[in-house]
Amino acid sequence: MTTSANTTPKPSALALLPLILFLILFIGSGVYFTLEGVDYAFYQLPAHVAILPAVILAIGLSRERLNTAIEQLIRGMGHGDIIAMCLIYLLAGAFSSVADATGGVEATVNLGLALIPESLILPGLFVIAAFISTAMGTSMGTIAALAPFALNMATATGQSPAVMAGVLLSGAMFGDNLSFISDTTIAATRSQGCSMRDKFKENVGIAIPAAIAAIILFVFNNQSAPVEAPESINYLAVIPYLSIIVLALAGLNVFVVLTSGILLAMGVGLMSTPDFTLMTFSQEVKDGFASMQEIFVLSLMIGGIAELMRCQGGLSFLTNTVNKVIVRFQKNQGQHHSRASEFGIALLVSFANLCTANNTVAIVVSGQVAKNIATEHSVPAKRSASLLDIFSCVVQGMIPYGAQILLLGASFGLSPLVIVSHSYYCFFLAASALIAVSSRHWWQARRA
């Protein structure tokens, strides 16, 4: 019998094996080649190749007919969020390539050097990324817009590209978590039945301490070398980058923002660069698309595997496992049973995110179960929504196969694991959330 998209499948731990196989192949090979002293160790077995055995295993584990299993794979690959990410990849690659060819990257870096003090390169980038991401509502769009600028700022100032990538990721995830127009915010509030304002108030008390801790760390971690201020700045070439920031702050759709940036960069090139023609523009767009090939394929495959795991009961298994953990933990908690429920909600969405590699999808998948847990154990809706959003963003900023980190890896030419190691804000956000849950119930117990 075929499992429909709306049917809850029978829980099965076996359905998680494809994801485990992919992680063993990708991370295991990278660690092995690192120990062997091989350069670019995590590129010896590309991620989009390492995932192919996992795809075959996921299809092989299906109890459906082969054609049905393949249809499920394709349905997952064609999920709206997956396709949207892939289109963002293409537009980001095209913008980066065209802007570089028209001198926009160099001009924007020069402007950044003129405006941001050397000692504040890292915190400055974090604040800019956080501001844009909050206004734009998407960490992917923020990373796509700022990655070329951040990479060239790192080169110009002597700052580590890996650290700069981590700072950009941190700022982007800050806004993704707090923005009123973020997909994660919308999914969390709708699934839990609370207002965005209530969820924001609950969230901000956890996110701000994490952001302050990250900024302090960035200030002390700033290692940029002294650089000479640029003699002149080509302000015309800066317009595409500035337009992206302005349009993002205006709340326009990320596709409109990036497309406008590409067209403006083309216009700047035609006006100011003698050798830049429409044919040059088309070649740069093609090269930009090609630079995103690996991440494009990997994202499609992850979407397909996530759907197969859902249909085979992998996500249901995770849900049941978390519920059992909550029940067992409550037996030892007495009057603090709601704390176990809050930790259970955090654990549920974290596991879902590990399997789907998409924070919005993870919230949608675990939202109803989280609401049931919250209702049963008197957890306020605004708190469960906040926990869903926070921990989905935490995990999304820590998994090396997440879209944001893959995009940064492609843009900076770095291993995703290297970028994960510098995802400071996500580490601080996780700690801040855990402390908030624990201290809140400790204080309630003291008052009682």
Side-chain angles (χ1 to χ4, degrees):
M1 182 176 178
T2 302
T3 302
S4 70
N6 297 320
T7 302
T8 301
K10 182 179 179 180
S12 172
L14 196 64
L16 302 177
L17 283 180
L19 178 65
I20 295 173
L21 175 61
F22 166 61
L23 294 178
I24 290 174
L25 290 175
F26 177 55
I27 299 177
S29 65
V31 172
Y32 170 78
F33 287 115
T34 298
L35 296 176
E36 291 292 312
V38 178
D39 293 335
Y40 304 103
F42 282 90
Y43 287 93
Q44 300 304 307
L45 180 60
H48 67 301
V49 175
I51 202 171
L52 293 179
V55 172
I56 295 173
L57 177 60
I59 294 175
L61 289 174
S62 177
R63 296 182 179 180
E64 310 289 350
R65 294 180 304 168
L66 178 61
N67 287 346
T68 302
I70 293 176
E71 287 175 2
Q72 292 171 347
L73 174 74
I74 294 173
R75 184 169 66 232
M77 294 170 68
H79 190 281
D81 286 334
I82 299 296
I83 297 301
M85 286 190 301
C86 289
L87 290 176
I88 290 175
Y89 295 150
L90 295 180
L91 292 175
F95 174 74
S96 177
S97 182
V98 174
D100 188 27
T102 57
V105 172
E106 180 182 357
T108 308
V109 169
N110 287 340
L111 180 61
L113 292 175
L115 296 178
I116 304 176
E118 296 170 16
S119 60
L120 297 178
I121 294 295
L122 294 183
L125 177 63
F126 174 81
V127 171
I128 292 172
F131 189 61
I132 292 176
S133 184
T134 302
M136 204 176 193
T138 166
S139 53
M140 286 293 294
T142 301
I143 292 171
L146 293 181
F149 167 74
L151 175 60
N152 285 274
M153 280 291 288
T155 303
T157 61
Q159 182 64 57
S160 166
V163 173
M164 191 72 85
V167 173
L168 177 53
L169 174 64
S170 295
M173 295 311 296
F174 174 89
D176 197 349
N177 178 219
L178 283 181
S179 175
F180 278 84
I181 60 174
S182 169
D183 288 347
T184 60
T185 293
I186 295 171
T189 53
R190 286 183 177 178
S191 67
Q192 301 308 294
C194 73
S195 69
M196 291 188 180
R197 179 169 297 181
D198 287 343
K199 179 260 183 187
F200 177 83
K201 290 179 180 178
E202 188 76 18
N203 237 26
V204 73
I206 297 174
I208 294 299
I212 292 174
I215 290 174
I216 292 173
L217 179 62
F218 296 151
V219 170
F220 286 101
N221 204 31
N222 203 98
Q223 299 177 355
S224 58
V227 293
E228 296 182 3
E231 296 181 0
S232 61
I233 299 173
N234 183 359
Y235 289 100
L236 182 63
V238 177
I239 290 178
Y241 283 97
L242 294 181
S243 70
I244 281 183
I245 296 176
V246 172
L247 293 177
L249 295 178
L252 291 185
N253 184 281
V254 61
F255 298 105
V256 175
V257 172
L258 289 174
T259 300
S260 300
I262 293 171
L263 295 177
L264 281 172
M266 177 192 71
V268 169
L270 292 175
M271 288 188 295
S272 62
T273 307
D275 297 333
F276 190 88
T277 64
L278 288 176
M279 291 306 299
T280 305
F281 169 74
S282 66
Q283 289 297 315
E284 292 297 335
V285 171
K286 183 200 75 170
D287 292 343
F289 285 172
S291 68
M292 295 294 167
Q293 176 182 339
E294 292 186 13
I295 181 180
F296 190 101
V297 173
L298 180 60
S299 295
L300 288 177
M301 295 299 181
I302 287 176
I305 286 182
E307 176 63 12
L308 281 169
M309 288 193 300
R310 188 198 69 79
C311 292
Q312 294 168 20
L315 297 184
S316 296
F317 170 79
L318 290 177
T319 299
N320 288 354
T321 301
V322 170
N323 274 324
K324 291 178 181 178
V325 170
I326 291 174
V327 172
R328 179 171 296 181
F329 190 68
Q330 284 175 352
K331 292 180 180 179
N332 300 320
Q333 292 299 305
Q335 62 181 334
H336 306 303
H337 63 279
S338 60
R339 177 169 60 184
S341 302
E342 292 184 22
F343 281 131
I345 292 171
L347 188 63
L348 172 66
V349 74
S350 297
F351 277 145
N353 211 138
L354 285 171
C355 292
T356 60
N358 184 298
N359 45 349
T360 303
V361 173
I363 293 173
V364 172
V365 166
S366 56
Q368 186 57 52
V369 177
K371 185 175 182 179
N372 293 341
I373 293 173
T375 301
E376 182 178 352
H377 303 293
S378 302
V379 177
K382 63 180 181 179
R383 190 170 303 161
S384 60
S386 175
L387 291 171
L388 284 175
D389 202 344
I390 286 174
F391 282 94
S392 67
C393 286
V394 165
V395 174
Q396 190 68 19
M398 293 183 180
I399 52 176
Y401 51 94
Q404 291 83 353
I405 294 174
L406 290 175
L407 178 56
L408 280 168
S411 301
F412 280 71
L414 296 171
S415 161
L417 286 181
V418 172
I419 297 174
V420 168
S421 67
H422 295 289
S423 183
Y424 301 119
Y425 170 72
C426 292
F427 295 125
F428 286 129
L429 182 61
S432 180
L434 293 174
I435 291 172
V437 172
S438 299
S439 62
R440 178 164 51 228
H441 291 283
W442 176 86
W443 178 250
Q444 290 175 352
R446 294 276 294 182
R447 292 182 65 182

